[in-house]
Amino acid sequence: MARLPVKKTYKLFIGGAFPRSESGRTYEAEGQNVARASRKDVRDAVRAARSAFPKWAGMTAYNRGQVLYRIAEMIEARDSEFAELSTGLEEVERTVDRIVWYAGWADKLAQVLGSSNPVSGPYFNFTVPEPTGVVAVVAPDEPPLLGLVSRVLPALTGGNAVVAVAPEKHPLAAIELAEALATSDVPGGAVNLLTGHREELAPWLASHMDVNAIDVTGADDGGAAELERAAADNVKRVVRGGPDTQSPWEIASFLELKTVWHPVGQ
Amino acid sequence: MLRVPITSPLTELDRKKERAPVPKEWAYAPAPESRDVVSIKERYGHFVGGKWLEPSETYTTISPATEETLAEVGQATPEEVETAVAAAREAFENGWSGIAPAERAKYLFRIARTLQERAREFAVLESLNGGKPIKESRDVDLPLAAAHFFYYAGWADKLEYAFPNRRPRPIGVAGQIIPWNFPLLMLSWKIAPALAAGNTVVLKPAETTPLSALLFADVLRQAELPPGVVNIVTGDGRAGAALVKSEGVDKIAFTGSTEVGKAIQRELAGTGKKLTLELGGKAANIIFDDAALDQAVEGIVNGIYFNQGHVCCAGSRLLVQESIYEPVIEKLKRRLTTLRVGDPLDKNTDVGAINSKQQLDKIRELVEAGEEEGAEIYQPPCRLPEKGYWFAPTVFTNVAQSYRIAQEEIFGPVLSVLTFRTPEEAVEKANNTPYGLSAGVWTEKGSRILWMAERLRAGVVWANTFNRFDPTSPFGGYKESGFGREGGLHGLEPYIDFDGTEPFGG
Amino acid sequence: MPMAQAPVLPRGFELPLEPRLPRIGSVDAVALEERAASLAKRSIKKEAKVFALELAVRMMDLTTLEGQDTPGKVAALASKAIRPDPSEPGVPSVAAICVYPNLVPAAVARVEGSSVKVASVATAFPSGQSPIELKLEEVAWVVDQGADEVDMVIDRGAFLSGRYAKVYDEIVRVKEAAGDAHLKVILEVSELGTYDNVRRASLLAMAAGADFIKTSTGKLPGAATLPVTLCMLEAIRDVYEENGRMVGMKPAGGIRQAKQAVQYLVQLHETLGPDWLTPDLYRLGASSLLNDVLMQLRKEKTGVYQSPDYFTVD
């Protein structure tokens, strides 16, 4: 008789831990019962992200790059599992390559995006990019893994803490990714993944006063406009990108620029 | 050998002369800048397509220092705004976007030069219409406005170097709405990068300060800028709202209150139009006990009393380390007694008139709230003119972080003083606000400056200085102070379209 | 030998000085220069300008410090000091004439009976590079000869090598030797290098008993400037705020035009206030400033621009 496999319970990823939804509810996706996050889970995830933000942002850029590279290693190591949960090995490989590409950006952003500014007067003046803070990501449904990673990585590479709403139709790769993140060196709370209904969760993130920016790529046109309107409550930065892009300017859209002046004198 | 004959130089009178008593009062005689340098028309229309468009509605604009009427100006209707947007669109499609970048640069250089040549005229007008001291409009607003055009002129034909591999293109028609605190300077912050990047513009100056923008139209005439490239419509918030709603506008740039900024962001949601916002602030100016105190006191004064405190990045919250609280406050109060409040056109005036009745009411309301909440108020003795809108430089001590005067943007010459004990506490208090535009740090310790600068959540950190601006230096906020940068290379980006040109998209 | 105790020193700055000097605070050069430049932009017109120009005359230390000075030169200087503009009796006398020790007797004789004081440089002016005993002897001698005021130089060599106590001690002893004569302490700011040093030296000199602190000998380029004077005024203000003692200030060297004099007075007015607007607390050390002030005064009176030909050279 064939052995009955042990099935996995698909949970949320908040603050480095894997809790069930506070609502106790699940929904069925890809043949599995997946945790259906509630607005209270959104609240907890934002709280976890906020408290992880200083640690992640405060790491040296070199270390951040290493941590990101480690994620790529962890995915590559379980590429067959990811392949099953996504569109296949090619998507996994592209995902790994994309993470490696972003990992290499971590310690180059200040040089590409910053400047020293020749002001008229005895002052030294320079501009440095800094993370915005807590970034909400509404991930696209397709491709399940690469789409999520393409939207999370720009914010993460810049030093932001992320709360992502996983692809509603294909959440399993996202949960698998959470497990890879949990076993990598990403500080708990720097990335939080919520599975559930996008239309239920995204508005709470868009209106949350402690979220600094929102990526609405996964929302449809009407939904995106709604989210953008709600985002105005605390002047969030709103980004709508593509599901399969990589660009330093995507990182830049989750960065602030800080300009520092200091007199030059004896 | 020649002997120099010496005769006594003294007369009897000289010998008796005692040293005369020296009078102690030294009142500076009035030193008004001449108004003749600028001529104001009785009535202005909107500047659309290179011509003056007769407005269907008008209102009067005044001098806040005297309440005298200066001119009648247009209150743009939505139809008039649309006419301006159409003119900008036509100019964009039919020439401006296709003109050689080097030629575009030369127009901007011309504007910069003309502003330099007519600087005094603009400075006087700016002080008349806005109430700011002539020494500031003369030494800050005008030189910086001209410098902004000069700086961005040079970028016009070098955009490929600013954004390598990104094929920068203009966006189209930019709708720009500017505030009343630095009318011409904000105009230049908006128009210069927009034109350098190849866009055309519809600009709406603030309701209370339209005149320098309308005079600027004459600079455009002298520079022979093609008609429609810059259009200026005047009026209150209704005109601004019409501009925001206009479908012909591809980008909105707004500087003003956070409240209006949020409304604009809501309005534009889902339209795909680009938006930059430069909104309010409640900056902390942090003084450590090892700071060069006399210079720090100057920085405090410059931070909050510059332009009557009508500065979004004003250092309105003073955070003083407890160990030097007393000497700092003593020095500050003493310094306030030397501030000269009065006629904006007098070259010796340090603090001018409050920009409008409405703003004066708001300042009064918050100051009353401060007193009611239990803060201690100090104002130096000064005689305020009877006519016009005035408010004495004010310091609040014994302020708690929870008081309205420590939380809300007052946008007037009112300083709230708080204390701290450690750098950690200073950072915590400084960041404890929804705003994030600017911050000041005063310490002689280099490592602490960088430590603080790293942790302050603000777009501009002035260390051992305050309220410095430069066209090469990006300016803009974190959090509810807005997004996007003005100034520097980064200030070009909001006016450039990169869509579809990225490798791998983006 | 126990070191003399400071008559005045801001709280926290008690002797011994060496370990405490860093606590004296610092000066931000850029901000100081900006503040000085901004004060220099005040527009002083009409009666306010006449006030300033007359005050400048009253505050002037008319100076000749040349190897070629003779009793005759000093006599001429004295007449000019007493009656700067013979055709305008309303123009006040200057505060003092400032001469080398050898010329003190001649100067005293020539100003006798007038309000004009005699100031003598001393202490191996301008370098200060002599043994302390000789300096003290020189000070005692000029006072004995009738000098009302003594302009001493600090030992910059000692200051720059960190021997602040030596500098301090020397000032204390010179002050003793000067007796009732007013002591002006010359810092020679252009040799001190930084505003921080100027501030330290100012506080040191005031602590040691200086009645006035003075910028320069006038023998070096880059003497008095508006920022360095502002830096010293701020030190004076700190001493005043600490214990109420009012110390005088004398910028010297490089002040040649009436316009500059007005700028210095505006700076004084807005930094220390009207109480300092007196020759008892402020002097302008100058050799060629007087005639430009006189020309400006007459221009204000007549409304016509003037020519130097109408003003006596001394």
Side-chain angles (χ1 to χ4, degrees):
Chain A
M1 191 180 130
R3 179 181 172 272
L4 185 69
V6 176
K7 275 179 76 173
K8 177 153 129 186
T9 311
Y10 288 91
K11 296 196 278 189
L12 307 175
F13 183 51
I14 297 176
F18 290 90
R20 288 194 169 84
S21 167
E22 139 322 305
S23 69
R25 294 200 279 182
T26 59
Y27 76 108
E28 202 178 322
E30 300 180 290
Q32 303 286 342
N33 290 321
V34 176
R36 179 175 160 192
S38 70
R39 65 183 163 91
K40 287 192 180 165
D41 295 317
V42 167
R43 175 200 64 191
D44 293 346
V46 171
R47 202 175 280 166
R50 177 57 65 192
S51 71
F53 171 60
K55 188 170 181 199
W56 179 237
M59 275 189 189
T60 65
Y62 171 64
N63 275 348
R64 227 166 28 235
Q66 285 194 310
V67 169
L68 294 175
Y69 185 78
R70 178 76 178 153
I71 301 173
E73 287 178 346
M74 300 308 287
I75 295 175
E76 180 87 42
R78 35 210 297 188
D79 57 354
S80 55
E81 287 137 84
F82 276 106
E84 266 177 46
L85 301 173
S86 63
T87 58
L89 193 61
E90 196 205 332
E91 186 187 339
V92 178
E93 285 169 355
R94 290 190 61 212
T95 300
V96 170
D97 291 352
R98 182 146 298 166
I99 294 172
V100 170
W101 191 82
Y102 275 113
W105 266 112
D107 53 5
K108 290 155 196 78
L109 294 169
Q111 289 171 320
V112 172
L113 303 174
S115 60
S116 86
N117 312 307
V119 296
S120 305
Y123 294 91
F124 182 62
N125 177 299
F126 60 94
T127 299
V128 285
E130 285 189 349
T132 293
V134 174
V135 175
V137 172
V138 182
D141 270 321
E142 309 272 355
L145 179 64
L146 183 60
L148 175 66
V149 163
S150 296
R151 300 321 306 167
V152 168
L153 260 287
L156 195 61
T157 305
N160 297 284
V162 175
V163 177
V165 179
E168 185 174 338
K169 289 183 193 149
H170 306 287
L172 300 189
I175 296 159
E176 190 74 21
L177 176 68
E179 285 164 10
L181 291 171
T183 51
S184 72
D185 302 319
V186 180
V191 180
N192 305 275
L193 289 166
L194 301 175
T195 49
H197 295 321
R198 184 183 296 126
E199 281 181 20
E200 237 172 61
L201 300 175
W204 290 108
L205 285 166
S207 63
H208 199 302
M209 297 300 274
D210 206 27
V211 171
N212 302 97
I214 184 164
D215 181 324
V216 300
T217 305
D220 59 22
D221 285 352
E226 239 358 273
L227 296 177
E228 203 172 333
R229 241 187 303 283
D233 286 354
N234 67 336
V235 197
K236 284 184 190 67
R237 290 89 178 103
V238 180
V239 175
R240 200 168 182 208
D244 179 12
T245 56
Q246 68 178 34
S247 156
W249 320 117
E250 298 243 305
I251 308 175
S253 58
F254 300 106
L255 295 175
E256 304 293 328
L257 289 166
K258 176 181 281 171
T259 297
V260 180
W261 292 68
H262 197 279
V264 177
Q266 294 186 50
Chain B
M1 195 175 153
L2 187 68
R3 184 174 177 281
V4 182
I6 302 172
T7 54
S8 170
L10 292 184
T11 64
E12 225 16 64
L13 187 75
D14 288 326
R15 289 186 195 282
K16 282 185 186 150
K17 196 161 71 182
E18 284 297 307
R19 185 181 287 169
V22 180
K24 273 198 173 171
E25 277 304 310
W26 184 14
Y28 301 163
E33 183 63 61
S34 169
R35 276 180 69 156
D36 303 345
V37 66
V38 61
S39 69
I40 304 173
K41 288 195 283 183
E42 270 180 32
R43 184 181 161 93
Y44 291 88
H46 307 294
F47 184 71
V48 175
K51 297 195 185 74
W52 291 103
L53 178 71
E54 185 56 31
S56 53
E57 291 172 36
T58 61
Y59 68 100
T60 55
T61 185
I62 63 163
S63 158
T66 58
E67 299 175 55
E68 70 176 300
T69 295
L70 294 176
E72 200 176 340
V73 297
Q75 165 63 47
T77 61
E79 295 71 38
E80 286 165 343
V81 169
E82 283 307 327
T83 312
V85 171
R89 171 65 54 196
E90 198 188 319
F92 180 73
E93 308 286 351
N94 301 337
W96 184 246
S97 58
I99 195 173
E103 296 301 303
R104 213 161 66 214
K106 287 195 297 193
Y107 281 111
L108 287 165
F109 280 123
R110 273 192 183 184
I111 294 171
R113 270 288 190 261
T114 311
L115 277 178
Q116 287 173 331
E117 287 157 9
R118 299 178 66 175
R120 193 55 54 91
E121 183 184 355
F122 272 98
V124 169
L125 185 60
E126 203 74 322
S127 287
L128 260 179
N129 198 196
K132 66 171 59 202
I134 185 75
K135 87 170 181 193
E136 289 175 10
S137 48
R138 179 194 67 200
D139 296 346
V140 181
D141 295 60
L142 259 296
L144 273 177
H148 242 83
F149 277 103
F150 204 89
Y151 174 77
Y152 280 108
W155 271 128
D157 55 356
K158 299 170 190 69
L159 298 175
E160 294 78 9
Y161 299 94
F163 306 103
N165 302 320
R166 298 185 75 188
R167 283 192 281 140
R169 299 187 311 269
I171 295 172
V173 176
Q176 306 181 318
I177 302 168
I178 58 172
W180 43 260
N181 55 348
F182 297 91
L184 188 76
L185 183 58
M186 290 302 104
L187 173 151
S188 70
W189 281 28
K190 293 282 182 289
I191 293 183
L195 297 194
N199 303 280
T200 58
V201 163
V202 178
L203 176 100
K204 191 200 83 72
E207 179 190 0
T208 57
T209 54
L211 293 183
S212 55
L214 293 167
L215 183 61
F216 181 74
D218 199 50
V219 171
L220 300 177
R221 176 190 62 83
Q222 290 186 315
E224 298 172 272
L225 192 75
V229 172
V230 172
N231 305 274
I232 299 163
V233 293
T234 57
D236 61 17
R238 291 170 293 168
L243 187 56
V244 170
K245 288 194 175 98
S246 171
E247 288 189 1
V249 169
D250 304 299
K251 187 232 153 60
I252 292 287
F254 172 76
T255 298
S257 73
T258 292
E259 190 191 343
V260 175
K262 289 178 180 177
I264 293 175
Q265 192 180 3
R266 276 183 207 112
E267 183 65 41
L268 293 187
T271 62
K273 286 182 196 172
K274 291 184 190 288
L275 173 65
T276 42
L277 298 173
E278 204 272 86
L279 310 176
K282 190 76 190 175
N285 202 358
I286 303 164
I287 319 289
F288 283 97
D289 62 3
D290 66 338
L293 282 196
D294 286 304
Q295 286 76 51
V297 168
E298 286 307 314
I300 296 167
V301 169
N302 179 43
I304 187 62
Y305 304 114
F306 173 64
N307 200 31
Q308 299 73 247
H310 298 331
V311 184
C312 44
C313 51
S316 51
R317 284 185 297 150
L318 178 64
L319 295 180
V320 186
Q321 197 155 24
E322 272 186 30
S323 49
I324 47 147
Y325 176 77
E326 279 166 27
V328 166
I329 298 304
E330 213 170 286
K331 278 173 182 289
L332 178 62
K333 286 181 176 175
R334 186 187 171 109
R335 175 70 174 85
L336 288 199
T337 62
T338 69
L339 283 177
R340 310 174 71 86
V341 185
D343 181 6
L345 286 183
D346 192 308
K347 291 175 218 163
N348 292 327
T349 291
D350 298 317
V351 179
I354 300 302
N355 184 267
S356 67
K357 171 82 168 47
Q358 193 192 4
Q359 188 57 29
L360 181 61
D361 290 344
K362 188 187 160 194
I363 295 168
R364 282 184 176 148
E365 188 218 321
L366 278 160
V367 166
E368 274 169 32
E371 287 186 279
E372 275 165 25
E373 283 176 307
E376 199 174 300
I377 190 169
Y378 171 81
Q379 293 177 325
C382 59
R383 254 169 302 169
L384 301 179
E386 304 243 315
K387 278 234 144 200
Y389 313 128
W390 302 92
F391 202 85
T394 301
V395 176
F396 273 115
T397 50
N398 285 330
V399 178
Q401 184 81 0
S402 59
Y403 291 179
R404 281 182 71 196
I405 50 171
Q407 289 292 318
E408 294 180 35
E409 185 177 37
I410 300 173
F411 224 65
V414 181
L415 180 69
S416 299
V417 185
L418 299 101
T419 58
F420 68 93
R421 292 155 298 177
T422 62
E424 292 275 3
E425 189 184 2
V427 168
E428 195 187 344
K429 282 187 164 164
N431 287 342
N432 183 211
T433 161
Y435 296 114
L437 190 50
S438 64
V441 183
W442 299 80
T443 169
E444 287 296 286
K445 194 170 174 185
S447 58
R448 186 188 290 143
I449 288 171
L450 296 174
W451 189 90
M452 292 291 294
E454 223 171 59
R455 279 157 186 78
L456 290 165
R457 304 287 292 161
V460 183
V461 175
W462 284 295
N464 291 323
T465 187
F466 209 92
N467 270 347
R468 302 280 149 208
F469 308 95
D470 193 272
T472 67
S473 176
F475 182 93
Y478 283 37
K479 302 198 280 187
E480 289 200 17
S481 290
F483 45 72
R485 291 294 177 269
E486 294 182 295
L489 184 153
H490 303 89
L492 280 169
E493 206 170 323
Y495 292 99
I496 291 177
D497 194 358
F498 303 108
D499 287 352
T501 61
E502 301 296 343
F504 298 99
Chain C
M1 189 182 102
M3 205 147 32
Q5 269 306 305
V8 276
L9 208 57
R11 184 172 57 221
F13 303 138
E14 304 85 343
L15 295 178
L17 283 161
E18 282 88 341
R20 295 196 180 270
L21 268 176
R23 291 185 55 196
I24 275 173
S26 51
V27 180
D28 186 87
V30 171
L32 178 81
E33 286 170 7
E34 275 169 1
R35 171 67 177 152
S38 132
L39 281 172
K41 281 187 182 167
R42 289 286 192 218
S43 174
I44 304 300
K45 293 189 181 306
K46 301 192 179 104
E47 60 273 31
K49 186 172 179 184
V50 171
F51 176 96
L53 293 172
E54 285 191 0
L55 191 57
V57 174
R58 286 177 214 277
M59 287 175 161
M60 208 171 295
D61 279 3
L62 200 56
T63 303
T64 183
L65 294 170
E66 303 295 337
Q68 56 187 0
D69 285 346
T70 57
K73 164 75 183 169
V74 168
L77 193 75
S79 350
K80 184 84 177 168
I82 294 164
R83 257 199 327 183
D85 189 349
S87 60
E88 294 286 346
V91 174
S93 304
V94 304
I97 55 174
C98 183
V99 296
Y100 269 123
N102 269 348
L103 283 308
V104 170
V108 168
R110 304 310 303 194
V111 301
E112 198 215 326
S114 77
S115 63
V116 176
K117 310 270 191 207
V118 171
S120 173
V121 296
T123 68
F125 181 94
S127 72
Q129 299 282 22
S130 283
I132 177 70
E133 290 73 21
L134 298 184
K135 293 181 184 177
L136 294 176
E137 223 170 281
E138 189 185 13
V139 170
W141 187 82
V142 298
V143 173
D144 188 52
Q145 293 300 309
D148 304 295
E149 301 171 356
V150 174
D151 289 23
M152 72 168 286
V153 289
I154 65 163
D155 185 340
R156 282 89 73 193
F159 183 90
L160 290 170
S161 57
R163 290 174 288 144
Y164 303 119
K166 178 171 192 299
V167 180
Y168 174 86
D169 242 19
E170 207 169 284
I171 300 170
V172 170
R173 294 175 71 184
V174 169
K175 171 75 179 163
E176 267 169 29
D180 290 337
H182 263 226
L183 180 65
K184 305 192 196 108
V185 178
I186 303 172
L187 309 182
E188 195 65 316
V189 292
S190 49
E191 287 188 341
L192 297 184
T194 64
Y195 295 118
D196 286 335
N197 273 348
V198 170
R199 180 174 168 83
R200 286 178 183 196
S202 299
L203 289 169
L204 192 72
M206 287 188 276
D211 297 301
F212 268 73
I213 50 176
K214 175 177 169 183
T215 58
S216 321
T217 60
K219 294 293 166 198
L220 289 177
T225 63
L226 287 165
V228 86
T229 306
L230 179 59
C231 175
M232 292 167 73
L233 291 178
E234 286 173 347
I236 290 172
R237 185 168 66 191
D238 286 345
V239 168
Y240 175 71
E241 281 174 359
E242 192 61 39
N243 56 27
R245 182 169 167 232
M246 296 168 87
V247 176
M249 173 70 207
K250 178 178 173 184
I255 308 170
R256 295 191 182 88
Q257 292 166 351
K259 189 179 175 178
Q260 288 174 283
V262 174
Q263 289 170 339
Y264 276 95
L265 293 179
V266 165
Q267 182 189 65
L268 172 69
H269 184 224
E270 300 204 22
T271 307
L272 291 173
D275 288 350
W276 258 265
L277 293 181
T278 155
D280 296 338
L281 287 169
Y282 197 82
R283 295 288 176 83
L284 289 159
S287 50
S288 59
L289 169 66
L290 183 56
N291 269 2
D292 195 51
V293 174
L294 296 178
M295 285 208 291
Q296 293 303 318
L297 268 172
R298 201 178 295 172
K299 190 252 150 188
E300 285 302 311
K301 194 177 172 197
T302 61
V304 177
Y305 292 107
Q306 299 296 312
S307 153
D309 286 355
Y310 297 85
F311 296 84
T312 58
V313 288
D314 57 13

